[in-house]
Amino acid sequence: MRYRALLRVILLVWVHVTLVCAAPRYPKAFIDLAQEFIAEKHVVGKGHQTLGQKLIIEAFVERGAAIIGMACALTKVRKTFLRLVGQLRNPDRYKAKNKKHNAKNNPKNHPIYNPIYNPKNNAKNNPIYAAIRKETARKRREETLRQNPNIADRVLTKEQIADQCELWLNSTDDRLVGRNGEVLTWRAAIVSGSFAIYFGTTMRKLEDEWLRWLTERGSDLPGKKKNRPVLRRMNGDFITMKEAEVELGFWCAEVGVGDILNHNCRGKEDYLQTHLTNATRDIDDDDKPHCRLGQQLHRCIGKGSIKQKENRIYRVFASVAPITKHHFDDRPIDVKRRKLIWLNGIQCQVVH
């Protein structure tokens, strides 16, 4: 019985669709009215119309509205009537226009309408659309924070964040020693290739967090993920925080001062990670840009949490380790994009 009822419904729908598709687009009386308009040699007129032309058109439109019997505005009836007059008066022109329109919107001919050729579905454009979504989310977050009168004056714009980061990049640190013994700025240290750097943000104590990115922190619960440390030993073992500080020579530096807004700190982290990625790009023999991933110890840019918590101080930090320059090798050694790097004389691997 259920199958019979389902077949009956399908049959009724098919009959209804067939009748609707077979029905003429306009009633016959409406078409006769348009032909009468043409036979009497009335002129529609483009642009300026005389008062006589307007009165004649309005009279035919009122008759057409009575024929259609639709409770709609006369504007819609007028538009339909004039379009029908044009089709009947110049059928070849309208056929060519429709053919051109169909060819333009045909998915086989137009890349925008074809999912296969749509730029949004092309993997090479993923970074472009990801950057657009990221910037849109940043602006929305900034507008939301500015609506709070208590913190509106503390919200930094994108330009202010860039100015603070540039000021910090031009500062020096006594621990940034170059190959000739000179003290380098952060900008020069990044370009020199003598240091491996990780930029991060935390709301906890800096001494407890500045090396936690090396650990496999996370949850084993369904739907949760664990951290995948970028820096590991050659046998694949993880490096503990104590080993990184004692054996590999890692040290920490705070970027600027703490802030109560995670939005500002995440903006600084994003800017510095982007600068580190772009500054460590080089040109090889084939003039193809590649990134010396051994120097940057972050996998992706700006992937931290953007949640704002009350009564917390957020800090941006840099975890730095010296690279033995003449042992540095930025060539991938397998398909997993592993790269060899010697930190403080100890061989490690960077897995992105």
Side-chain angles (χ1 to χ4, degrees), residues 6 19 67 72 80 83 141 157 163 165 168 206 245 262-263 266 283 302 306 330 338 341:
L6 180 60
L19 292 177
I67 294 172
C72 59
T80 305
R83 181 170 60 245
R141 187 167 60 251
T157 62
D163 293 341
C165 292
W168 182 82
L206 202 57
E245 186 175 2
N262 189 21
H263 169 78
R266 287 299 174 188
I283 303 297
I306 59 175
D330 62 351
R338 289 196 310 163
I341 186 173

Side-chain angles (χ1 to χ4, degrees), residues 90-343:
N90 300 308
D92 296 335
R93 176 187 173 187
Y94 271 82
K95 285 182 180 179
K97 184 177 179 180
N98 291 337
K99 184 177 180 180
K100 181 180 178 180
H101 180 270
N102 294 336
K104 178 183 177 182
N105 296 325
N106 192 336
K108 293 183 179 179
N109 302 329
H110 204 289
I112 298 300
Y113 297 96
N114 194 333
I116 299 177
Y117 302 108
N118 195 324
K120 289 186 177 182
N121 298 326
N122 195 326
K124 70 178 183 180
N125 295 324
N126 287 348
I128 299 175
Y129 292 104
I132 294 174
R133 291 192 298 268
K134 185 177 179 181
E135 180 63 16
T136 303
R138 187 199 65 80
K139 291 181 179 179
R140 188 184 302 114
R141 187 167 60 251
E142 181 178 337
E143 292 176 359
T144 303
L145 291 174
R146 290 190 182 278
Q147 294 176 0
N148 189 341
N150 298 326
I151 59 174
D153 55 340
R154 293 177 175 267
V155 181
L156 299 179
T157 62
K158 189 176 182 179
E159 292 74 19
Q160 292 173 334
I161 291 175
D163 293 341
Q164 292 187 10
C165 292
E166 289 293 329
L167 184 63
W168 182 82
L169 287 171
N170 292 326
S171 63
T172 59
D173 194 300
D174 295 337
R175 295 167 289 186
L176 295 174
V177 181
R179 285 176 291 179
N180 299 326
E182 72 280 11
V183 178
L184 304 176
T185 63
W186 284 97
R187 189 186 304 277
I190 291 174
V191 178
S192 68
S194 300
F195 301 93
I197 305 176
Y198 174 88
F199 289 109
T201 303
T202 182
M203 63 178 178
R204 301 178 182 177
K205 292 182 179 180
L206 202 57
E207 54 269 19
D208 299 333
E209 282 288 316
W210 68 283
L211 283 175
R212 284 196 71 225
W213 54 273
L214 286 171
T215 62
E216 193 186 20
R217 63 184 185 273
S219 176
D220 292 326
L221 297 175
K224 302 292 183 178
K225 294 183 179 180
K226 283 190 174 183
N227 178 50
R228 295 178 298 139
V230 172
L231 185 63
R232 304 180 186 181
R233 295 191 181 275
M234 289 303 298
N235 59 1
D237 293 343
F238 299 133
I239 303 173
T240 65
M241 298 172 62
K242 189 67 174 180
E243 292 172 347
E245 186 175 2
V246 176
E247 299 179 14
L248 304 182
F250 270 94
W251 50 274
C252 178
E254 185 176 356
V255 179
V257 296
D259 200 313
I260 64 171
L261 293 181
N262 189 21
H263 169 78
N264 297 339
C265 291
R266 287 299 174 188
K268 295 178 183 178
E269 176 192 350
D270 192 333
Y271 185 90
L272 293 174
Q273 288 180 348
T274 304
H275 176 79
L276 177 61
T277 301
N278 295 335
T280 53
R281 293 186 183 276
D282 200 356
I283 303 297
D284 58 13
D285 297 335
D286 298 330
D287 293 334
K288 296 179 181 179
H290 69 279
C291 187
R292 299 162 73 174
L293 299 175
Q295 287 184 248
Q296 66 174 54
L297 299 180
H298 62 268
R299 180 174 283 108
C300 300
I301 298 176
K303 291 298 183 179
S305 174
I306 59 175
K307 293 182 180 179
Q308 176 69 33
K309 294 188 177 181
E310 300 291 338
N311 302 325
R312 296 296 181 96
I313 300 297
Y314 294 87
R315 291 180 173 86
V316 184
F317 63 89
S319 300
V320 188
I323 296 177
T324 307
K325 181 65 177 179
H326 62 278
H327 280 166
F328 180 74
D329 186 359
D330 62 351
R331 292 171 298 178
I333 61 178
D334 60 17
V335 296
K336 295 181 179 179
R337 303 277 305 168
R338 289 196 310 163
K339 295 199 174 185
L340 301 182
I341 186 173
W342 276 258
L343 298 178

